[in-house]
Amino acid sequence: MPELPEVETLRRELEKAVKGKTIKSAQVKWPKMVLPKTPAEFQKKTKNKKITDISRRAKVLIIALNDGNFLIIHLKLTGQLIFRNKKSEIRNQKIAIGRGSQKGGVVGLPNKYTHVIFEFTDGSHLYFNDLRKFGWVRLVSKVEVDKLLREFGVEPLTKDFTLAKFKIILKRYPNRKIKQILMDPSLISGIGNIYADESCFCAKILPTRPVKSLKPLEIKKLFLCIPKILKFAIAKKGTSADDYVQLDGQPGDMVPYLKVYGRKGEKCKGCRGVVEKIKLNGRGTHFCRVCQK
DNA sequence: TGATATGTTATCTT
DNA sequence: CAAGATAACATATC
């Protein structure tokens, strides 16, 4: 799933690929995922707009246009953004769909999961794919984008994320399980299931631990682990455990470095234990009960 | 065939 | 009433 490191990887690649380019046309194939609602209106309002900046807040990509509006994109669980320079490459280059990076299931572009296509004036294309159609693309004003972004919690890779702030957040929810805090986008933004599990492993804390049971040293350890894990994952260009791919359609390189996520029944990388998987607040949760206490 | 996967939000329950 | 739990969204895979 695209979480902070995956979205940040895409942001950096988009900056290189499409910043400064002008949208020639935007084709909407699945209007339910797009605002404005009608493809004609979406096309009209994006036509001839130049991309001036690409930023990110939580798991949302924010593409600034030269008319003062913004294209904001959320990939949710199975979204992909893929850029292609020339038409000839479209037929040749394959991309992975649905665990495809692990198992095959590779297809060309556009394909049945392509729901929005941006064409730029230089002939290049940006494809928005989403197998399960949870993701969205919205054209919004500055006021709307500011409102949306205000609702997210602290960004864990900025200087706003301090130990003091982390402790304040934890103090508000003494009875919650620690993983629940990590996964709550209104408290800390950008961490999803993969990096919540990995952060808990890094801090040697069981994800099921009630917040109030955490000792100051454990809180500090977790506080340090979160940015450490996220930065490492960005350096590896993200985790392609399911559908996520980089902007060029290739999988990220993070999977071999995961310690617990997706490793149920496999040997722990830190000890002789075996990675277990349980359900926690409705989410699959991985841990090693020998390494994590 | 049915259970599972999951980010976010809406809605139901305690 | 607030906090917590679950359903919903869509679709493929186990």
Side-chain angles (χ1 to χ4, degrees), chain A residues 92-105:
Chain A
N92 300 334
Q93 287 243 18
K94 301 289 185 174
I95 49 123
I97 288 280
R99 306 205 158 196
S101 49
Q102 319 286 324
K103 296 216 167 191

Side-chain angles (χ1 to χ4, degrees), chain A residues 4-5 8 55-60 62 149 152-162 165 169 185-191 223 226-227 230 234:
Chain A
L4 189 153
E8 178 61 21
S55 56
R56 176 192 61 75
R57 175 85 168 93
K59 298 167 187 162
V60 182
I62 304 155
L149 302 185
F152 285 112
V154 61
E155 282 284 332
L157 290 188
T158 66
K159 58 176 168 34
D160 296 342
F161 187 56
T162 60
K165 190 158 202 170
I169 293 169
S186 70
L187 302 177
I188 305 168
S189 59
I191 304 178
F223 166 76
I226 291 166
L230 294 176
I234 292 171

Side-chain angles (χ1 to χ4, degrees), chain A residues 277-290:
Chain A
K277 184 177 181 184
I278 59 163
K279 220 169 191 109
L280 179 64
N281 298 113
R283 290 292 174 247
T285 298
H286 313 73
F287 59 86
C288 167
R289 72 167 69 250
V290 182

Side-chain angles (χ1 to χ4, degrees), chain A residues 235-283:
Chain A
K236 295 296 169 197
K237 301 192 184 296
T239 299
S240 293
D242 290 289
D243 301 83
Y244 162 78
V245 288
Q246 301 178 55
L247 197 63
D248 64 0
Q250 298 305 304
D253 303 320
M254 182 64 187
V255 168
Y257 301 95
L258 296 176
K259 299 282 207 290
V260 285
Y261 183 85
R263 301 192 65 248
K264 177 187 172 186
E266 293 176 36
K267 195 181 155 298
C268 175
K269 292 180 180 178
C271 72
R272 301 179 143 265
V274 172
V275 176
E276 297 176 48
K277 184 177 181 184
I278 59 163
K279 220 169 191 109
L280 179 64
N281 298 113
R283 290 292 174 247

